[in-house]
Amino acid sequence: MPMDPLFSVEGQVVLVSGASRGIGRAIAAGFAQRGAQVIITGRDPTSLQKTAAEISGQGQTVYPYVCNVAQPIATARMVEELIDRFGRIDTLVNCAGVNVRRRAEDYDEATYDYITNINIRGAFFLTTAVGRHMKQARQGCIINIDSINSHTPLRYVSVYAMSKAALREMTKCLAMEWGPYGIRVNAIGPGFTLTDLGRRLWENPAMEAWRQANTPLGRIGLPEDMVGACIFLASPAASYITGQVLYIDGGTLSGLFWPLEVDSPEAPGSPEG
């Protein structure tokens, strides 16, 4: 059955940062499988080359470009080289991100800079470098990978949550500024997702029990669960959507999940708050 053109990304030139593994890799593979020309970026050349080779297919070769998004000069040079090679960038997916879990008073300047330089500073300058060309073309799509932490932060990840809140606001600000040029800027906010980096955390029985209790759909998210939303946001089907954050969390942000069943002795009363 042919692809419905309303949801097609075939022929798009798509740049995905932080795509060597995890969510970024899944999103890049999703676009490549649907006929887009995909460029992936990352800091480690070995893993980047390996990922590009593994997700290339169906006549589309995924192009790897080694770049540290925390360095605006490097990202600006990358964008210019990609424009020279491919002629345009139709969709940018900002997926590069890092996290370090500490008490707020224990963050030092180096760790603070490490997180914010990648999560927000890097995303901003990569986006503006791409955005200049999108403005000239009077079209384009930008998808930022946010987090449920921009809505409801978890304890001991204050700097990460702050950076994601900034990314959410960047999404709205650029949607306002660039809308008149035909550029749409949106974000997705993954919930608890099983990636290589987080696998050890969710192998802890106590953490897994807590996650299940706070996820209405029960199961943990997979990187592949983020693909559909990104394809949709990049497709003609989302042509009137901009400035939005779509949280993909299995329902975690639906409300507070307190540890009482309806038939428990404590259930008749409700706490005031």
Side-chain angles (χ1 to χ4, degrees):
M1 182 177 179
M3 170 72 71
D4 185 335
L6 184 63
F7 298 96
S8 176
V9 294
E10 185 174 3
Q12 284 197 22
V13 178
V14 179
L15 173 60
V16 185
S17 73
S20 294
R21 57 189 175 187
I23 292 173
R25 174 191 169 113
I27 291 171
F31 275 101
Q33 290 164 5
R34 289 159 181 82
Q37 170 61 67
V38 177
I39 305 107
I40 60 173
T41 73
R43 291 174 290 172
D44 179 61
T46 301
S47 61
L48 197 67
Q49 292 280 358
K50 183 174 183 290
T51 296
E54 290 174 347
I55 66 177
S56 293
Q58 297 185 355
Q60 290 291 347
T61 299
V62 174
Y63 178 70
Y65 193 109
V66 179
C67 183
N68 182 353
V69 298
Q71 300 174 350
I73 293 176
T75 57
R77 181 172 60 249
M78 173 184 69
V79 169
E80 294 308 312
E81 291 182 6
L82 294 178
I83 292 294
D84 287 343
R85 176 164 184 160
F86 297 101
R88 67 188 194 279
I89 296 173
D90 298 302
T91 295
L92 167 66
V93 182
N94 281 308
C95 194
V98 294
N99 184 20
V100 177
R101 191 170 66 252
R102 291 181 184 173
R103 290 179 174 82
E105 66 272 21
D106 292 335
Y107 283 102
D108 54 28
E109 290 185 29
T111 306
Y112 178 94
D113 289 344
Y114 168 66
I115 297 170
T116 58
N117 281 350
I118 293 176
N119 292 11
I120 184 60
R121 185 172 182 264
F124 178 80
F125 285 107
L126 175 56
T127 300
T128 52
V130 172
R132 290 185 181 94
H133 293 279
M134 289 182 171
K135 286 177 70 174
Q136 292 177 358
R138 302 194 71 83
Q139 64 177 356
C141 171
I142 296 163
I143 303 170
N144 297 319
I145 307 303
D146 191 355
S147 164
I148 60 172
N149 279 275
S150 75
H151 182 284
T152 304
L154 297 166
R155 281 197 301 176
Y156 307 134
V157 293
S158 58
V159 180
Y160 175 79
M162 290 157 53
S163 71
K164 290 301 183 178
L167 191 66
R168 179 194 64 198
E169 294 308 301
M170 185 183 93
T171 299
K172 296 179 181 180
C173 291
L174 296 184
M176 288 193 296
E177 286 195 32
W178 293 351
Y181 298 92
I183 302 169
R184 298 180 298 103
V185 188
N186 293 291
I188 66 167
F192 305 124
T193 306
L194 186 62
T195 62
D196 290 339
L197 292 178
R199 189 176 301 276
R200 184 175 177 182
L201 177 70
W202 300 118
E203 287 175 347
N204 181 322
M207 284 300 303
E208 176 59 12
W210 176 86
R211 184 205 58 74
Q212 288 188 20
N214 286 275
T215 307
L217 290 184
R219 70 173 177 85
I220 195 168
L222 300 174
E224 290 74 18
D225 289 319
M226 312 303 149
V227 174
C230 289
I231 297 297
F232 165 69
L233 289 172
S235 75
S239 63
Y240 200 55
I241 299 175
T242 195
Q244 304 301 310
V245 179
L246 174 59
Y247 291 102
I248 306 173
D249 64 353
T252 297
L253 296 181
S254 299
L256 297 175
F257 299 91
W258 57 339
L260 293 178
E261 298 297 332
V262 70
D263 56 353
S264 68
E266 296 87 353
S270 295
E272 296 182 0

